[in-house]
Amino acid sequence: MADAEEPMAVDGGHCDISCDWDGRWNHVRKFLERPGPFTHPDFEPSTESLQFLLETCKILVIGAGGLGCELLKNLALSGFRLIHVVDMDTIDVSNLNRQFLFRPKDVGRPKAEVAADFINGRIPGCKVVPHFKKIQDFDESFYRQFHIIVCGLDSVIARRWMNGMLISLLSYEDGILDPSSIIPLIDGGTEGFKGNARVILPGMTACIDCTLELYPPQINFPMCTIASMPRLPEHCIEYARILQWPKEKPFGGEINLDGDNPEHIQWVFDKAQERAAEFNITGVTYRLTQGVVKRIIPAVASTNAVIAAACATEVFKIATSAYIPLNNYLVFNDVDGLYTYTFEAERKENCSACSQVPQDLQFPPSAKLQEVLEYLTENASLQMKSPAITTTLEGKNKTLYLQSVKSIEERTRPNLCKTLKELGLSDGQELAVADVTTPQTVLFKLNFTT
Ligand SMILES: [Zn+2]
């Protein structure tokens, strides 16, 4: 690909940073300034929609990676000019084959900043504002300023957090949702040759957590299998990674396992082979070791292009109200042939993120807190990562278990082996659960079964 030092004229004509040249937005006007057989029933052609795109509509793109580069390019060329992009990553040399806003000289620099510079330099009048940050670094007031949010993320946790944030922005009056508090979320996801694009109207249509069962279960093997009953090559690699590394400290006490360090991978590979030989398991390879340690999902440029195109089109449709948006979940798969399908994902009545229905926890008083913790992490519609459980006992806030702070984890660990009754919990007790998958605490009501 040619280096992009010189700005390219879009639609012919001459670039001038201060003005739109003649015919610059003709390709967009065709959609907005004349009627057509596929327009929204209430659509009235006008020049105002384009003005809205160019001057008012504020879009947030989450992620400046494979999907993010495509999204920024598509949106900017469709007339969106006020775009913010959030990404916490820096550019790695392995990104360059598909993240086409980056060049070898950019390796090591923040993706958001390089992507914004590239778009702003190439597309006159476009103002992409980069944020080299985590989505969790921003609060409600930041997210509230946008008309539409598009996610091009590779993490389910981040996606769920974003979903939760937009749900927390909703306002209800007497139980009726105020439509002006809704910020549409367009979510794209890809994994190898598979992808999906979806339109979420928080509080109105199925949210990320409503359809959590659709996500493949996390590839975390039970610790007991890893420790004592390995069956798969992956179990042996996990044994070396999780148990042997911290114990043997092969590169010194404070060194964490780095998936990009070949010596580290080699060490895990060697140990995993020893383990595999012991249990007569075949299939441990260097490549598999790398894949398991780094949780590698192969990235396919064309899948990103298709999904980002679908997402950008939905942004355009919603921003202009000229066309009926996707309803609401598109799947794409070109593993074998080429297949797409659109269906309407349904809201889940008791969704823990968007339903406003208190969540039930059914346990006998003799159940141990450990069982509750396992339920929160393993239940397909909750899939929490490291839940922190607090409650109110005798008028005082009490942390029952919290994993993320070492000292508190050690102090609260004995609670895991206690029964709910021993902990002093009663039928109907409210448990507040915080987790990385949501910006808000989820309230559960404990119902004792017999
Ligand atoms: Zn939901």
Side-chain angles (χ1 to χ4, degrees), residues 163 167 205-211 347-348 351-355:
N163 178 65
I167 287 162
T205 64
C207 81
I208 300 280
D209 282 52
C210 285
T211 57
R347 283 190 80 180
K348 204 167 127 205
C351 171
S352 65
C354 76
S355 72

Side-chain angles (χ1 to χ4, degrees), residues 339-354:
Y339 169 87
T340 71
Y341 178 67
T342 301
F343 67 97
E344 183 179 351
E346 285 181 21
R347 283 190 80 180
K348 204 167 127 205
E349 246 169 68
N350 60 343
C351 171
S352 65
C354 76

Side-chain angles (χ1 to χ4, degrees), residues 189-197 300 302-304 306-307 310 329-343:
T190 67
E191 207 176 274
F193 291 102
K194 299 176 193 168
N196 70 79
V300 175
S302 55
T303 311
N304 284 338
V306 170
I307 295 303
Y329 198 120
L330 171 139
V331 287
F332 171 83
N333 185 336
D334 61 354
V335 171
D336 186 11
L338 196 155
Y339 169 87
T340 71
Y341 178 67
T342 301
F343 67 97

Side-chain angles (χ1 to χ4, degrees), residues 14 65 89 119 136 171 202 207 216 219 224 226 228 299 301 346 351 358 360 398 430:
H14 192 73
D89 265 348
I119 297 279
Q136 291 86 350
S171 58
C207 81
I219 324 167
C224 54
I226 296 172
S228 51
E346 285 181 21
C351 171
D360 265 347
K398 190 177 172 192
E430 275 197 349

Side-chain angles (χ1 to χ4, degrees), residues 134-153:
K134 290 195 269 205
I135 52 173
Q136 291 86 350
D137 292 339
F138 297 99
D139 62 6
E140 295 176 9
S141 60
F142 174 77
Y143 291 108
R144 219 188 284 278
Q145 66 179 305
F146 298 100
H147 291 94
I148 301 171
I149 296 181
V150 207
C151 279
L153 288 162

